Amino acid sequence: MTIIIFMNTLKYLQNNEFLLDVDLWRLFANLEKLNKISLSFLKTFFETVKEHVSTSDFPMDFRSILRKFFQGDLCQTHQIYCLNYTSAVFYLENLRQREVGIYLKWCEQNEQCKRLHLPELLVAPLHRLMRYPLLLNNIWRRSTDETEKGFIQSLKEKVEKSIRNLEGKVKWLDNFQKFRQLQEIIIWPLIWDRDKRFFVPECLKQSLRENSSENVLSSVNRLLLHEGRLTLAESTRLLDVYLFLFNDFLLITKIKRNKKKYGGSETSLIPVCPSLTPELQSFIREGGFCTVLDQPIPLDRLILKNIDPVHITVFSLRNAFLIQHKNRYRQCIAVFLLQAQTETAKKKWMSKIETAISNYTTQHETKKSTTFCFPAESSEI
């Protein structure tokens, strides 16, 4: 594996007391063990083929090889590495802002690396795991022994099931990393700071702080469906806002940029989740954050309206649409007039919101029908 060059170079540097604060495991996990097992599998496999070619009488016993590795540590070792992959990319993004840039460039210049960057190499073991079912399928097609074919087919199905389970775990971990980052950059102002109409005596503020909404994003079932920058039209100004569309509510936040210039300070070292949009990643690195503008809008209480072209001309609105927030009594308690940068972006936002509302409604109607599905009444009642 070419990636071993990066790992061994880092080991050498740390043995000479350089980059001691870089966590080898967080970056490469069990790569050394994975490399050893993968290499052993390839050597055993090709030695068997070579012996068969040189001696026609020598039977190719693939079953013992496949049983040894695929029912052994091969797939399990890959899984451990793959589960750490998202965290490794996240950690690497943090390291890039420091002196490790010199180490990375030196490794990339190695002929064996072929100018490939570390992120491209970190993902290689994942691709290799995905190819194992193809390898097993090719062996199955060329096998003439029915018992061997049955064994290989069974093994292929187990590997495919293992990959499906792994994909679910990786997605969950990626989502967890993303929401952990969002919790750090989304600020939830207290009610008396958000709206000056509400007066709360100092003696009561502490009890209200304890019931703050900072943990709203901690639900494991919540998904981020769409996000992006829009412009909110207020009575006297246009305000830059950043919207987060989740699978159960819409959150509108104000963009707050940090006015200080940090350069090489700690703010530039903030780790950024790679699955966030490039725009938000850049925004986080600059030390920015998002302040919640108003309470979350549940999708079952969100009304989406397109702005008629006539109004666009009269009021100088471009690529605009309207969002209404209604309470449980169907009264409108908030209105947001939003503008996208392009007509395409506007249509995409409206489509995403409509789809999210439809899915949310369908899901909850199904739950209600299941909850209220009682057995038939007895004739004696």
Side-chain angles (χ1 to χ4, degrees), residues 358-373:
S358 176
N359 291 340
Y360 181 85
T361 304
T362 303
Q363 183 182 359
H364 281 260
E365 283 178 352
T366 305
K367 283 184 179 179
K368 285 180 182 179
S369 63
T370 306
T371 305
F372 293 103
C373 184

Side-chain angles (χ1 to χ4, degrees), residues 44-55:
T44 308
F45 187 86
F46 284 115
E47 280 172 6
T48 304
V49 175
K50 187 179 177 181
E51 287 182 33
H52 174 74
V53 172
S54 60
T55 310

